[in-house]
Amino acid sequence: MSHRKLTRRLARAGLVAAALGLAVPAPANAAEPGGSSAFGLNVTGPAHVPPTPAVSSATGEVRKALLREERTRAVRATVLDVAARRDRAHSRVAGVDVPAAHLNAEAVTARCLGGRGNASLADAVVAGKPLAVSPPPNTTVPVKVPGLGDGSVVLNKQERLPDGRLRVTGLEATLPTGQGRVEAIRVASATCGHVRKERQVRGKPEGPEVAPRPVPVKGDLPVTG
């Protein structure tokens, strides 16, 4: 679905308030730890953009949307639509443009359901090369930032959190900005799953097992066609 169609769909759904950054009314315990969460865009480094828009819920669905986000030159996007409920989360960002990486995408989507997730890209291109619509988890694409050095873009980034939940980020670009500094740009992120309960060992509680750090799957640049 194009971002124009998605814009019309948001309007028909009566999300005018959400487009202004207001959340759909949520249950009182929507922010309880261990629930699901999602955000559209996040930038850390010299240019900072907090997770925007962001939602979390341990019960019923909470949803937010923005029609445009361009507070930094590092990344621009239109139609950021996120939702979360007890066992699932969804994030879709349209009109993505990361100039330093020569990266554009009609849409980037991350989904998480019951502790499992995936990501998809629509008409995504890096340095003139099209990217796969459904890249394998943690697919790493090297990029060069002219005059600054090497960076990377991770597609369908999947991380198992220490509490057992899964975080899926549709696209994460790590780019040099000069003077040894880097910027991390995260587009479309969804987190869900059941929190790992403490186990009992001989009557004594044992803390939850910490999941191993995800290992990126490196390979050739995924292309379509």
Side-chain angles (χ1 to χ4, degrees):
M1 179 186 298
S2 69
H3 68 270
R4 290 182 179 178
K5 291 182 179 179
L6 186 54
T7 301
R8 292 197 296 268
R9 179 181 175 184
L10 289 175
R12 288 197 301 268
L15 293 176
V16 175
L20 297 176
L22 304 177
V24 174
N29 62 345
E32 288 182 2
S36 299
S37 62
F39 66 80
L41 183 67
N42 173 225
V43 181
T44 57
H48 177 68
V49 177
T52 304
V55 294
S56 63
S57 178
T59 53
E61 182 176 271
V62 181
R63 188 168 185 171
K64 280 187 180 181
L66 289 174
L67 295 183
R68 186 172 299 276
E69 175 55 54
E70 49 184 14
R71 278 180 282 179
T72 171
R73 295 181 180 179
V75 58
R76 293 180 176 85
T78 60
V79 189
L80 300 87
D81 185 22
V82 299
R85 60 184 300 172
R86 182 176 59 85
D87 61 347
R88 67 191 65 188
H90 174 272
S91 177
R92 178 182 171 87
V93 181
V96 179
D97 180 21
V98 183
H102 300 287
L103 188 158
N104 302 95
E106 181 178 328
V108 179
T109 302
R111 305 175 188 84
C112 192
L113 173 61
R116 296 186 178 185
N118 62 74
S120 60
L121 310 174
D123 294 331
V125 176
V126 168
K129 297 181 179 179
L131 301 177
V133 174
S134 301
N138 301 314
T139 297
T140 301
V141 179
V143 297
K144 290 186 178 295
V145 180
L148 295 176
D150 297 330
S152 65
V153 176
V154 180
L155 310 175
N156 191 13
K157 183 174 182 178
Q158 299 199 13
E159 305 167 280
R160 187 66 63 176
L161 303 182
D163 64 8
R165 292 182 298 161
L166 177 70
R167 178 166 60 205
V168 182
T169 303
L171 182 157
E172 179 174 303
T174 303
L175 308 173
T177 61
Q179 300 180 344
R181 297 179 298 180
V182 297
E183 203 158 54
I185 300 168
R186 302 172 183 89
V187 180
S189 182
T191 299
C192 75
H194 298 291
V195 174
R196 186 180 291 111
K197 296 181 180 179
E198 291 186 347
R199 295 174 295 174
Q200 297 289 329
V201 179
R202 296 182 180 179
K204 296 182 180 180
E206 178 184 357
E209 177 185 355
V210 176
R213 294 177 63 86
V215 178
V217 179
K218 296 184 178 180
D220 296 332
L221 178 71
V223 297
T224 60

